Amino acid sequence: MALTDEQPAAPGPDVTPHGHGLRLDRWDPDAEEQVEAWLRARTDPDFRRWNTPLTVVSDLAGARAALAGLRKQAAEGTCAPFRITDAESGTTLGHIGINMIDRTFRTARVGYWVLPEARGRRVATRALALATDRAFAELQLHRLELGHALGHDASCRIARTCGFAYEGTLRGAMFEAGRQDAFRDVHLHARLATDPSPDLDRVPARD
Protein backbone atom coordinates (compact mmCIF):
# COMPACT_ATOMS: atom_id res chain seq x y z
CA MET A 1 0.00 0.00 0.00
CA ALA A 2 1.39 3.42 -0.97
CA LEU A 3 2.17 5.91 1.79
CA THR A 4 0.21 9.14 1.94
CA ASP A 5 0.57 12.29 4.01
CA GLU A 6 -1.73 10.68 6.56
CA GLN A 7 0.44 7.54 6.71
CA PRO A 8 4.01 8.57 7.57
CA ALA A 9 6.79 6.05 7.24
CA ALA A 10 7.51 4.10 10.41
CA PRO A 11 10.77 5.07 12.09
CA GLY A 12 13.70 2.77 11.45
CA PRO A 13 15.20 0.58 14.15
CA ASP A 14 17.05 2.30 16.98
CA VAL A 15 20.71 1.59 16.29
CA THR A 16 21.95 3.52 19.32
CA PRO A 17 23.39 1.03 21.83
CA HIS A 18 21.04 0.97 24.79
CA GLY A 19 20.05 -1.20 27.72
CA HIS A 20 20.62 -1.58 31.45
CA GLY A 21 19.12 1.91 31.91
CA LEU A 22 21.74 3.57 29.67
CA ARG A 23 22.15 4.84 26.12
CA LEU A 24 25.45 5.27 24.30
CA ASP A 25 25.03 8.43 22.23
CA ARG A 26 27.39 10.40 20.01
CA TRP A 27 29.33 13.37 21.34
CA ASP A 28 28.50 16.73 19.77
CA PRO A 29 31.27 19.37 19.89
CA ASP A 30 28.64 22.04 19.18
CA ALA A 31 26.57 21.17 22.27
CA GLU A 32 27.79 23.41 25.08
CA GLU A 33 26.59 21.13 27.88
CA GLN A 34 28.51 18.22 26.41
CA VAL A 35 31.65 20.30 26.02
CA GLU A 36 31.37 21.37 29.66
CA ALA A 37 30.90 17.75 30.78
CA TRP A 38 34.03 16.72 28.88
CA LEU A 39 36.03 19.52 30.49
CA ARG A 40 34.78 18.65 34.00
CA ALA A 41 35.76 15.02 33.50
CA ARG A 42 39.21 15.74 32.12
CA THR A 43 40.06 18.14 34.94
CA ASP A 44 38.71 15.85 37.68
CA PRO A 45 41.49 14.85 40.13
CA ASP A 46 40.45 11.20 40.14
CA PHE A 47 40.56 11.05 36.35
CA ARG A 48 44.01 12.61 36.32
CA ARG A 49 45.20 10.18 38.97
CA TRP A 50 44.62 7.20 36.69
CA ASN A 51 44.98 8.74 33.21
CA THR A 52 47.58 10.87 31.47
CA PRO A 53 46.22 11.90 28.04
CA LEU A 54 48.67 12.96 25.37
CA THR A 55 46.81 16.27 25.08
CA VAL A 56 45.81 17.95 28.33
CA VAL A 57 42.38 19.60 28.27
CA SER A 58 42.17 22.61 30.57
CA ASP A 59 39.53 24.89 29.03
CA LEU A 60 36.36 24.82 26.94
CA ALA A 61 38.23 25.42 23.69
CA GLY A 62 40.40 22.38 24.35
CA ALA A 63 37.39 20.27 25.24
CA ARG A 64 35.58 21.31 22.08
CA ALA A 65 38.65 20.51 19.97
CA ALA A 66 38.92 17.09 21.64
CA LEU A 67 35.30 16.26 20.80
CA ALA A 68 35.78 17.44 17.23
CA GLY A 69 38.81 15.16 17.01
CA LEU A 70 36.77 12.22 18.26
CA ARG A 71 34.13 12.87 15.62
CA LYS A 72 36.82 12.87 12.91
CA GLN A 73 38.33 9.60 14.16
CA ALA A 74 34.88 8.02 14.28
CA ALA A 75 34.27 9.04 10.66
CA GLU A 76 37.61 7.48 9.71
CA GLY A 77 36.66 4.25 11.47
CA THR A 78 39.61 4.20 13.87
CA CYS A 79 37.46 4.51 16.98
CA ALA A 80 33.85 4.41 18.16
CA PRO A 81 33.40 7.02 20.93
CA PHE A 82 30.17 7.20 22.93
CA ARG A 83 28.65 9.59 25.45
CA ILE A 84 27.19 7.49 28.27
CA THR A 85 23.75 8.87 29.08
CA ASP A 86 20.85 8.05 31.35
CA ALA A 87 18.24 6.32 29.18
CA GLU A 88 15.34 8.36 30.58
CA SER A 89 16.74 11.84 31.16
CA GLY A 90 19.53 11.93 28.58
CA THR A 91 21.90 13.29 31.23
CA THR A 92 25.59 12.81 30.45
CA LEU A 93 27.13 10.29 32.85
CA GLY A 94 30.49 9.57 31.26
CA HIS A 95 32.34 8.34 28.21
CA ILE A 96 33.31 5.00 26.71
CA GLY A 97 35.32 4.48 23.56
CA ILE A 98 36.28 1.53 21.40
CA ASN A 99 39.73 2.74 20.37
CA MET A 100 42.65 1.71 18.18
CA ILE A 101 40.41 -0.39 15.95
CA ASP A 102 42.46 -2.76 13.80
CA ARG A 103 40.27 -4.15 11.02
CA THR A 104 42.91 -6.64 9.88
CA PHE A 105 43.27 -8.45 13.19
CA ARG A 106 39.77 -7.42 14.36
CA THR A 107 41.03 -6.03 17.65
CA ALA A 108 40.51 -2.82 19.62
CA ARG A 109 41.10 -1.23 23.03
CA VAL A 110 38.28 0.00 25.24
CA GLY A 111 38.54 2.91 27.68
CA TYR A 112 36.02 4.78 29.79
CA TRP A 113 35.43 7.32 32.54
CA VAL A 114 32.44 8.34 34.63
CA LEU A 115 31.62 11.80 35.96
CA PRO A 116 31.99 12.18 39.76
CA GLU A 117 28.26 12.51 40.40
CA ALA A 118 27.53 9.27 38.50
CA ARG A 119 30.02 7.05 40.30
CA GLY A 120 28.90 4.22 42.52
CA ARG A 121 25.88 3.42 40.32
CA ARG A 122 27.35 0.67 38.12
CA VAL A 123 27.50 3.11 35.20
CA ALA A 124 30.92 1.96 34.01
CA THR A 125 29.98 -1.71 34.31
CA ARG A 126 26.72 -1.32 32.39
CA ALA A 127 28.33 0.89 29.73
CA LEU A 128 31.19 -1.56 29.23
CA ALA A 129 28.71 -4.39 28.72
CA LEU A 130 26.87 -2.35 26.06
CA ALA A 131 30.03 -1.24 24.28
CA THR A 132 31.40 -4.78 24.26
CA ASP A 133 28.23 -6.11 22.65
CA ARG A 134 28.52 -3.33 20.06
CA ALA A 135 32.16 -4.15 19.33
CA PHE A 136 31.44 -7.81 18.67
CA ALA A 137 28.05 -7.63 16.98
CA GLU A 138 28.26 -4.42 14.93
CA LEU A 139 32.00 -3.87 14.42
CA GLN A 140 32.70 -7.58 13.96
CA LEU A 141 35.71 -7.49 16.27
CA HIS A 142 37.22 -10.69 17.64
CA ARG A 143 39.26 -9.39 20.57
CA LEU A 144 38.69 -6.38 22.83
CA GLU A 145 41.40 -5.33 25.28
CA LEU A 146 41.14 -3.23 28.43
CA GLY A 147 44.17 -1.85 30.25
CA HIS A 148 44.29 0.07 33.51
CA ALA A 149 47.01 1.41 35.77
CA LEU A 150 48.27 -0.99 38.40
CA GLY A 151 46.41 -0.27 41.63
CA HIS A 152 43.18 0.88 40.00
CA ASP A 153 41.12 -1.76 41.75
CA ALA A 154 37.74 -0.41 40.64
CA SER A 155 38.65 -0.81 36.96
CA CYS A 156 39.97 -4.29 37.69
CA ARG A 157 36.62 -5.31 39.22
CA ILE A 158 34.64 -3.77 36.36
CA ALA A 159 36.74 -5.60 33.77
CA ARG A 160 36.34 -8.97 35.48
CA THR A 161 32.60 -8.43 36.02
CA CYS A 162 32.16 -7.82 32.29
CA GLY A 163 34.04 -10.98 31.35
CA PHE A 164 37.43 -9.43 30.60
CA ALA A 165 39.94 -11.99 31.82
CA TYR A 166 43.14 -10.79 33.44
CA GLU A 167 46.01 -11.71 31.12
CA GLY A 168 49.03 -10.23 32.86
CA THR A 169 50.95 -7.09 33.77
CA LEU A 170 52.53 -4.90 31.10
CA ARG A 171 55.65 -3.26 32.46
CA GLY A 172 55.96 0.49 31.94
CA ALA A 173 53.07 0.55 29.48
CA MET A 174 51.51 3.91 30.38
CA PHE A 175 52.56 7.30 31.68
CA GLU A 176 52.69 8.08 35.37
CA ALA A 177 49.98 10.46 36.58
CA GLY A 178 50.57 13.95 35.22
CA ARG A 179 53.88 13.04 33.57
CA GLN A 180 55.11 12.05 30.14
CA ASP A 181 58.67 11.29 31.17
CA ALA A 182 57.98 8.39 33.55
CA PHE A 183 56.02 5.18 33.20
CA ARG A 184 53.95 2.75 35.27
CA ASP A 185 52.70 -0.79 34.92
CA VAL A 186 49.35 -1.76 33.45
CA HIS A 187 47.00 -4.65 34.09
CA LEU A 188 45.86 -6.14 30.78
CA HIS A 189 42.40 -7.68 30.50
CA ALA A 190 40.77 -8.99 27.33
CA ARG A 191 37.59 -10.59 26.11
CA LEU A 192 37.02 -12.55 22.92
CA ALA A 193 33.86 -12.63 20.87
CA THR A 194 33.65 -16.34 21.66
CA ASP A 195 33.75 -15.78 25.45
CA PRO A 196 30.45 -16.13 27.37
CA SER A 197 28.53 -12.96 28.21
CA PRO A 198 28.37 -12.08 31.93
CA ASP A 199 25.19 -12.00 33.97
CA LEU A 200 24.86 -8.35 35.01
CA ASP A 201 22.13 -9.23 37.47
CA ARG A 202 24.91 -10.52 39.68
CA VAL A 203 26.91 -7.27 39.49
CA PRO A 204 27.67 -5.78 42.93
CA ALA A 205 25.93 -2.61 44.03
CA ARG A 206 28.89 -0.33 43.23
CA ASP A 207 31.46 -0.08 40.44
Side-chain angles (χ1 to χ4, degrees):
M1 180 173 64
L3 292 173
T4 68
D5 291 341
E6 290 74 30
Q7 296 169 320
D14 186 354
V15 296
T16 302
H18 61 281
H20 311 301
L22 302 177
R23 292 178 66 88
L24 303 186
D25 292 321
R26 298 296 184 183
W27 287 96
D28 182 358
D30 297 320
E32 203 65 23
E33 290 184 2
Q34 295 182 32
V35 174
E36 291 172 357
W38 187 272
L39 176 61
R40 282 202 301 117
R42 289 304 178 110
T43 54
D44 174 62
D46 201 53
F47 172 86
R48 291 195 167 183
R49 177 185 178 190
W50 299 114
N51 303 275
T52 307
L54 292 177
T55 302
V56 176
V57 172
S58 57
D59 55 28
L60 289 173
R64 189 173 292 105
L67 292 184
L70 281 183
R71 185 162 63 180
K72 180 175 183 293
Q73 292 175 49
E76 294 170 345
T78 58
C79 77
F82 296 102
R83 181 172 62 100
I84 306 171
T85 69
D86 181 87
E88 292 187 4
S89 68
T91 302
T92 301
L93 304 176
H95 164 80
I96 190 162
I98 303 167
N99 310 311
M100 300 171 63
I101 297 174
D102 186 324
R103 298 291 182 178
T104 301
F105 291 99
R106 293 166 58 193
T107 62
R109 279 277 184 122
V110 62
Y112 54 82
W113 49 256
V114 175
L115 287 167
E117 64 270 21
R119 292 172 189 158
R121 294 161 43 190
R122 303 191 307 168
V123 170
T125 300
R126 292 179 284 147
L128 179 57
L130 287 175
T132 301
D133 288 345
R134 174 77 168 196
F136 293 147
E138 301 296 330
L139 301 180
Q140 298 294 299
L141 297 180
H142 170 66
R143 175 181 169 89
L144 194 58
E145 297 182 349
L146 187 159
H148 63 79
L150 192 67
H152 197 343
D153 295 337
S155 273
C156 210
R157 289 193 301 271
I158 292 165
R160 291 178 184 272
T161 297
C162 289
F164 284 73
Y166 169 66
E167 294 190 341
T169 300
L170 305 178
R171 297 178 301 152
M174 70 181 295
F175 289 132
E176 286 281 4
R179 300 179 61 178
Q180 294 188 6
D181 60 349
F183 297 85
R184 54 182 162 176
D185 295 347
V186 169
H187 267 186
L188 176 65
H189 298 259
R191 184 172 154 190
L192 304 182
T194 52
D195 289 338
S197 298
D199 181 2
L200 286 193
D201 289 336
R202 302 178 61 185
V203 174
R206 292 177 62 87
D207 283 338

